[in-house]
Amino acid sequence: MGALQAGILRVLTRRGFRPSRIVGTSVGALNAAFLAFHPGETGGEMLANVWQNLQDEHYLRINPVRVALRIASRKLYLVKNDFLQKLIAEHIVIDDFSATEVPLYIAATNLATARKHVFSEGSVSQAVLASSAIPGIFSPVEIEGDFYVDGGVTANLDLETAVEAGAKEILAIDLSHCFEVPDPSNVMDVVTRTVEIVLRERVDHDMHLLGKKAQIALLQPRIDHGPGVGDLSQASRLLEQGEAYAERILEECFDAKGRLQPGTFTEELSIPTGDAVLA
């Protein structure tokens, strides 16, 4: 789903959008980190190309024998996250928050405290790995003695951090409403649907609460169906759908003078200033 988000960012940067700060969580942390180093139109194009080049890759390589061995040996993960580590290393030249073009904030979940932790200094790559460490699938990431997992557990769309950082205008791209989950037919469907409900309720709650403190334009693209977990083969299709959505919705998000308009912008899929929050 990060490709869908990248398609939206491609159009935004092409139209002149340059955030004054960027907040990212989970797959949004990947896009946020890239954009923080390359915040202009060139960066938007580069990010889109990165996703296009990934569609022949395999993010999750599930080997049943190795998974069984890791369960038996009480490992903290089922799959090694080598793919993501390599991807981040390839695209971060200076691995430090101080080197970004615009301030960057990455949300992860501290396993010990069970709370959100926001990284804004130190190693960018470690923060992004922590924010995108899917619980139970990838190993928690140890940073300065603490273990962290996916930021989506505590902040799937971290509007709170943007507001606390002083944002008055926020452009947020929410991936929790992208597609309807069909009626459950097995246990995994029930789990998936339950997670979707939790994420959506949290976004609605935060919008109601934080919408009183900042002008928030919430982008909620919807597509016909979502890819499977770890399936990158649909990257080009999702990138194109993200671009199509952004092209149609931008006139509603900004007025004639380029000022951000608060509200929720949802549309089915078959320039300005502000802060960016990426889920």
Side-chain angles (χ1 to χ4, degrees):
M1 299 308 294
L4 181 72
Q5 194 176 74
I8 298 171
L9 293 170
R10 186 182 207 174
V11 174
L12 284 168
T13 55
R14 189 184 296 157
R15 297 288 188 91
F17 179 80
R18 183 185 172 108
S20 55
R21 60 180 69 82
I22 306 176
V23 180
T25 300
S26 198
V27 71
L30 289 166
N31 289 334
F34 193 97
L35 205 63
F37 281 99
H38 312 282
E41 179 180 356
T42 300
E45 294 296 326
M46 291 168 60
L47 179 60
N49 289 333
V50 169
W51 280 102
Q52 280 183 317
N53 292 333
L54 290 178
Q55 64 181 3
D56 293 326
E57 299 287 345
H58 297 281
Y59 180 34
L60 289 177
R61 295 180 181 274
I62 305 294
N63 183 310
V65 175
R66 290 180 180 176
V67 168
L69 287 173
R70 283 168 187 149
I71 292 174
S73 61
R74 298 184 180 180
K75 294 284 187 181
L76 297 179
Y77 63 93
L78 296 182
V79 182
K80 284 189 176 181
N81 203 4
D82 297 340
F83 175 85
L84 193 54
Q85 292 185 46
K86 179 182 177 183
L87 179 66
I88 295 170
E90 287 177 354
H91 296 286
I92 293 183
V93 179
I94 303 176
D95 190 13
D96 197 285
F97 277 87
S98 63
T100 61
E101 289 287 325
V102 298
L104 172 66
Y105 303 83
I106 298 296
T109 300
N110 186 310
L111 276 180
T113 65
R115 294 183 179 277
K116 177 183 73 175
H117 180 90
V118 180
F119 293 95
S120 58
E121 57 183 25
S123 168
V124 174
S125 64
Q126 288 299 101
V128 172
L129 276 174
S131 184
S132 53
I134 303 172
I137 303 297
F138 298 127
S139 175
V141 176
E142 183 177 4
I143 301 176
E144 296 183 355
D146 286 325
F147 287 92
Y148 297 90
V149 294
D150 200 308
V153 174
T154 50
N156 55 301
L157 187 70
D158 195 9
L159 299 170
E160 180 183 49
T161 292
V163 171
E164 289 178 347
K168 299 301 180 183
E169 292 183 308
I170 301 172
L171 178 67
I173 305 176
D174 174 28
L175 300 179
S176 69
H177 287 65
C178 282
F179 51 90
E180 293 299 325
V181 179
D183 292 335
S185 59
N186 54 53
V187 173
M188 285 307 300
D189 285 349
V190 173
V191 172
T192 301
R193 183 58 176 164
T194 302
V195 171
E196 288 289 336
I197 292 171
V198 171
L199 297 182
R200 293 180 182 191
E201 285 296 314
R202 183 187 296 155
V203 170
D204 293 342
H205 173 269
D206 288 351
M207 277 292 291
H208 176 73
L209 182 66
L210 299 172
K212 301 172 183 177
K213 300 180 179 181
Q215 293 195 74
I216 304 173
L218 182 65
L219 306 191
Q220 291 183 327
R222 290 187 177 175
I223 59 176
D224 47 8
H225 64 277
V229 177
D231 178 14
L232 296 174
S233 65
Q234 302 297 313
S236 290
R237 176 181 70 86
L238 292 167
L239 189 68
E240 291 174 1
Q241 290 192 324
E243 290 184 55
Y245 163 81
E247 292 286 2
R248 293 194 295 269
I249 214 74
L250 278 185
E251 299 304 321
E252 299 179 40
C253 293
F254 302 98
D255 64 17
K257 295 183 179 180
R259 293 174 298 200
L260 193 68
Q261 301 298 295
T264 300
F265 302 91
T266 301
E267 183 177 332
E268 296 290 342
L269 293 177
S270 10
I271 2 211
T273 60
D275 293 357
V277 178
L278 312 181

